[in-house]
């Protein structure tokens, strides 16, 4: 059974953090086992942050794939972390890469990639991709499943 005694957010009523810096990403142990590494995917289709210039909301579909080594990110803490961006003013590129770097700092995975598919601002959608290096050998990496933005057709 997975050791969860150090988790402070799962199973409790926790207020959303006021900023990504204040958010705590918690982890649980993971036994990788033999064979190719597992790929874990988190999809956040309703991600929001704020434009750092206008303060207007920006919206994105975020897809995170990572190959855990000895730690998994606990999903409730990830949800709270992602929610904390609703009060955070930053450009799309900064938000996307910041999410990836925070997960790496917390879990020290074998590999991570993140795709930020941002909805149009000023008529231009922005897609941001970032990864830590080559994917692990033998790992199955499905397509992110997010089609390029086409508007109404």
């Amino acid at each position: 059974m997975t050791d969860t005694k150090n988790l402070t957010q799962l199973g409790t009523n926790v207020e959303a953090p006021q900023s990504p810096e204040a958010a705590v990403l918690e982890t649980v142990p993971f036994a990788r086992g033999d064979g190719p590494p597992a790929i874990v995917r988190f999809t956040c289709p309703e991600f929001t942050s704020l434009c750092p210039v206008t303060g207007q909301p920006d919206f994105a579909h975020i897809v995170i794939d990572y190959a855990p080594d000895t730690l998994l990110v606990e999903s409730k803490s990830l949800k709270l972390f992602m929610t904390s961006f609703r009060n955070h003013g930053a450009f799309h590129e900064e938000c996307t890469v910041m999410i990836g770097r925070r997960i790496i700092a917390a879990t020290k995975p074998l590999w991570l990639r993140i795709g930020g598919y941002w909805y149009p601002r000023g008529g231009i959608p922005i897609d941001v991709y970032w990864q830590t290096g080559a994917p692990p050998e033998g790992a199955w990496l499905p397509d992110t499943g997010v089609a390029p933005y086409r508007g109404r057709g």
Side-chain angles (χ1 to χ4, degrees), residues 15 31 37 44 46 48 51 56 60 70 75 87 89 106 113 115 138 142 144 152:
E15 294 291 324
C44 185
E46 299 176 350
T48 59
C51 172
Q56 294 295 309
T70 61
S75 63
N87 299 317
R113 77 175 175 189
T144 62
R152 292 193 173 136

Side-chain angles (χ1 to χ4, degrees), residues 77-116:
S77 72
L78 179 66
K79 292 172 195 173
L80 291 166
F81 171 62
M82 300 296 272
T83 299
S84 73
F85 281 85
R86 292 182 179 169
N87 299 317
H88 182 71
F91 290 114
H92 303 334
E93 298 85 352
E94 181 184 351
C95 287
T96 304
V97 174
M98 177 190 231
I99 293 165
R101 287 187 172 146
R102 282 290 300 277
I103 294 170
I104 289 167
T107 66
K108 299 180 183 33
L110 301 172
W111 173 83
L112 178 140
R113 77 175 175 189
I114 183 169

Side-chain angles (χ1 to χ4, degrees), residues 8-84:
T8 63
Q9 299 172 85
L10 184 62
T12 63
N13 186 12
V14 179
E15 294 291 324
Q18 291 301 305
S19 70
E21 295 79 15
V24 176
L25 281 175
E26 296 187 326
T27 60
V28 294
F30 177 68
R32 235 174 20 109
D34 297 331
I39 300 296
V40 176
R41 172 169 289 170
F42 289 107
T43 304
C44 185
E46 299 176 350
F47 180 85
T48 59
S49 65
L50 298 176
C51 172
V53 176
T54 66
Q56 294 295 309
D58 287 322
F59 303 92
H61 184 141
I62 305 287
V63 179
I64 303 159
D65 292 318
Y66 76 108
D69 188 12
T70 61
L71 296 172
L72 298 170
V73 66
E74 191 282 311
S75 63
K76 181 176 181 181
S77 72
L78 179 66
K79 292 172 195 173
L80 291 166
F81 171 62
M82 300 296 272
T83 299
S84 73

